[in-house]
Amino acid sequence: MSTKALRELFVIKNFCHEIIGNYNREHQTLLTVKEFFIEPVTEVVGFLCDYHSLTLQCFDEVKSEKTKTLKFFIKSLPVVDEKDERIKIFEKEKELYRCLLPNLLKYSEEIWLPRLYLCDDQLLILEDLREFDLADCRDRLNLSDVQMFNIMRSLAIMHSSSIVFEYCNDICIGEAFTNCLQEITLSSSVPWFNTGLNALVEVAKIHPKYKTVREQAFIANELLPHLYMICSMADTSLKYRNVLCHRDLWGGNIFLNHKNPHRAAVFVDFQTCRYSPPAIDIIFILFMNLSRERRILSEYVYLRYYYRQLLKNFEYCENKTFLAITEQELHNSYKEFQLLGLVYRFLGLSILNVPRAIVNDHYKNVERSKQLLEHMQRNKEFCSLIFESVEDIIDWIIERIEK
């Protein structure tokens, strides 16, 4: 949606009045809108939405001589074909914000998602995290222990909030919000996913570790069906306790105050949420934001810290039976679902670690292998990283086949 189209939406000013009304209730203020300005946000790049900044110039009704400037972040659905998958994805996040996510904050000791100030058919108006010195971690591989512990603390708060919400309202999130928790990206019907897995197989065919006839036959005939096993790993589990999971916590969706890393992490982009075991989110954080060496060295330290934070959030409860997660079960599920993290790490590398100029719709949704292999030839460091990722995947699968 263009800036002009956004201005046409806002010119009625009802949106601005509704936003400031919600802000006043949240902050117990009496502000009135004088002017508003909308500008594109160029530093945020995403395939789903257009992003704009909304500035409201307000005055205080009690102290009329005082003015206040407020900034908000706009996510808007671009003008797309009615069959475009982005409509369904945006609809999912919009409904989650409308029906569930703000309610979970009532059971949270810290804020782990941007506050919502307007939810319209084509717009989400959220607080602008940049105003709080928060920035995403997309360019920060291997965050410090302090930062990782802070992310794990926010994750434990998010998960415990969903558990307490269920207990206090006598409902199951997975059943009550089924329409908001459908899978939209992790499916054999999704072009982006299929294209990525096909590229993975092509890389495996030239991997220097797998040159025997038997290994090449496995890669050509059996690897792809094993990769599709991850489609069920994020499903609601009958074996483990489920919570509301974000399920896409790579660095671009995690915001930290890099000047004050002790401040709670904030998560954005909830369009992939599922009702799944908490290990799913832990896996995404560790596999998408740490090197293999760092993850292997520290994963159980972070798991232990997460679990301690989860228990801490239930200290006030006399009856903790509704928690229904033991530390051993957390570790078991983390081991069981690791293929999901391994495969997503490869998919992330194939999108995020290649030149942005080649990541067009054709590369993402039609054919990725040729350009990926060409970039591997040009960049030895990237080639090594991709081979490492594919090796981890194949070795994980073969180890379980041979058990």
Side-chain angles (χ1 to χ4, degrees):
M1 187 177 293
S2 66
T3 304
K4 180 177 183 295
L6 277 167
R7 284 190 179 279
E8 290 171 355
L9 277 174
F10 275 93
V11 76
I12 307 171
K13 278 209 171 183
N14 288 338
F15 283 109
C16 292
H17 292 310
E18 187 173 345
I19 292 165
I20 202 62
N22 291 331
Y23 180 90
N24 284 334
R25 281 188 289 275
E26 178 79 33
H27 296 272
Q28 297 183 340
T29 53
L30 288 171
L31 300 176
T32 300
V33 178
K34 289 178 63 179
E35 291 185 279
F36 66 93
F37 308 94
I38 301 170
E39 297 178 321
V41 177
T42 55
E43 65 267 31
V44 178
V45 179
F47 87 99
L48 175 62
C49 291
D50 290 336
Y51 304 103
H52 292 76
S53 174
L54 169 66
T55 302
L56 298 185
Q57 297 284 0
C58 306
F59 68 88
D60 192 313
E61 294 181 10
V62 177
K63 301 173 182 178
S64 57
E65 73 282 359
K66 284 205 168 187
T67 60
K68 188 177 181 70
T69 300
L70 302 176
K71 288 186 178 292
F72 301 90
F73 187 79
I74 303 173
K75 292 183 69 170
S76 63
L77 190 65
V79 178
V80 294
D81 184 86
E82 61 181 12
K83 295 181 180 179
D84 194 295
E85 65 176 358
R86 284 174 288 185
I87 296 176
K88 186 188 298 184
I89 297 172
F90 184 80
E91 184 72 19
K92 175 175 178 175
E93 183 175 29
K94 183 187 71 177
E95 288 306 307
L96 280 167
Y97 259 110
R98 179 175 285 165
C99 303
L100 179 60
L101 293 174
N103 291 324
L104 298 188
L105 285 183
K106 300 173 185 176
Y107 306 95
S108 306
E109 62 180 23
E110 295 194 64
I111 302 299
W112 44 267
L113 82 161
R115 291 182 181 88
L116 173 72
Y117 289 103
L118 182 94
C119 181
D120 183 65
D121 286 344
Q122 293 184 306
L123 294 170
L124 283 174
I125 310 294
L126 307 162
E127 64 182 346
D128 193 334
L129 298 178
R130 296 169 300 175
E131 293 298 294
F132 303 96
D133 293 322
L134 293 165
D136 67 49
C137 306
R138 71 178 64 230
D139 296 322
R140 296 171 183 260
L141 187 63
N142 283 335
L143 298 169
S144 70
D145 276 341
V146 171
Q147 292 169 322
M148 285 298 297
F149 287 142
N150 200 28
I151 293 168
M152 286 297 174
R153 180 163 58 93
S154 288
L155 186 67
I157 293 170
M158 173 184 164
H159 289 169
S160 62
S161 299
S162 76
I163 293 172
V164 177
F165 173 80
E166 289 182 319
Y167 177 75
C168 292
N169 294 278
D170 193 26
I171 62 172
C172 169
I173 287 176
E175 296 173 359
F177 300 93
T178 302
N179 293 337
C180 301
L181 297 171
Q182 297 296 320
E183 180 57 67
I184 46 135
T185 60
L186 192 62
S187 167
S188 59
S189 64
V190 175
W192 174 87
F193 184 60
N194 292 327
T195 304
L197 294 191
N198 289 331
L200 197 163
V201 172
E202 293 305 310
V203 172
K205 289 177 181 178
I206 65 166
H207 198 294
K209 183 177 178 179
Y210 310 106
K211 290 298 186 182
T212 68
V213 173
R214 182 182 176 186
E215 289 166 339
Q216 285 292 308
F218 171 80
I219 290 169
N221 303 317
E222 300 180 50
L223 179 57
L224 196 58
H226 283 285
L227 297 176
Y228 278 110
M229 290 193 311
I230 71 170
C231 293
S232 62
M233 288 185 175
D235 287 346
T236 299
S237 175
L238 299 177
K239 183 178 178 181
Y240 301 108
R241 210 271 187 232
N242 300 285
V243 298
L244 180 73
C245 283
H246 183 288
R247 226 216 67 209
D248 192 20
L249 289 172
W250 70 287
N253 289 336
I254 301 172
F255 278 66
L256 289 171
N257 187 320
H258 296 289
K259 298 177 183 176
N260 178 16
H262 293 283
R263 180 168 177 170
V266 177
F267 307 135
V268 301
D269 287 356
F270 288 84
Q271 58 262 18
T272 58
C273 277
R274 298 291 300 279
Y275 189 61
S276 308
I280 297 299
D281 273 345
I282 296 173
I283 285 169
F284 266 86
I285 289 172
L286 298 187
F287 282 73
M288 298 298 287
N289 299 290
L290 298 177
S291 67
R292 176 171 68 170
E293 292 77 15
R294 175 82 183 284
R295 170 175 54 79
I296 292 172
L297 181 66
S298 306
E299 57 190 351
Y300 287 105
V301 174
Y302 295 139
L303 275 167
R304 189 178 307 117
Y305 180 81
Y306 165 87
Y307 192 73
R308 296 293 178 268
Q309 291 298 307
L310 194 68
L311 291 181
K312 181 182 177 183
N313 294 334
F314 295 104
E315 284 179 353
Y316 68 93
C317 301
E318 292 183 9
N319 177 12
K320 297 184 179 65
T321 57
F322 61 87
L323 175 58
I325 301 172
T326 68
E327 190 166 8
Q328 186 59 54
E329 287 170 340
L330 181 66
H331 283 227
N332 291 345
S333 59
Y334 177 77
K335 292 177 182 176
E336 185 175 327
F337 301 133
Q338 281 194 14
L339 183 61
L340 180 63
L342 292 171
V343 173
Y344 253 84
R345 181 169 181 252
F346 172 86
L347 297 176
L349 290 171
S350 73
I351 294 289
L352 302 172
N353 289 54
V354 300
R356 184 168 291 177
I358 73 172
V359 185
N360 53 29
D361 284 340
H362 182 84
Y363 179 85
K364 286 186 292 186
N365 300 318
V366 181
E367 210 292 312
R368 194 176 309 176
S369 305
K370 183 175 181 292
Q371 287 178 291
L372 182 65
L373 294 172
E374 288 174 351
H375 186 59
M376 289 173 65
Q377 289 180 333
R378 292 192 297 268
N379 189 315
K380 290 183 178 180
E381 183 179 352
F382 175 73
C383 181
S384 176
L385 202 58
I386 286 289
F387 277 152
E388 173 192 279
S389 175
V390 171
E391 179 181 339
D392 286 343
I393 292 166
I394 295 177
D395 287 355
W396 192 95
I397 292 171
I398 290 176
E399 180 183 338
R400 274 138 190 89
I401 291 174
E402 293 177 346
K403 274 187 177 181

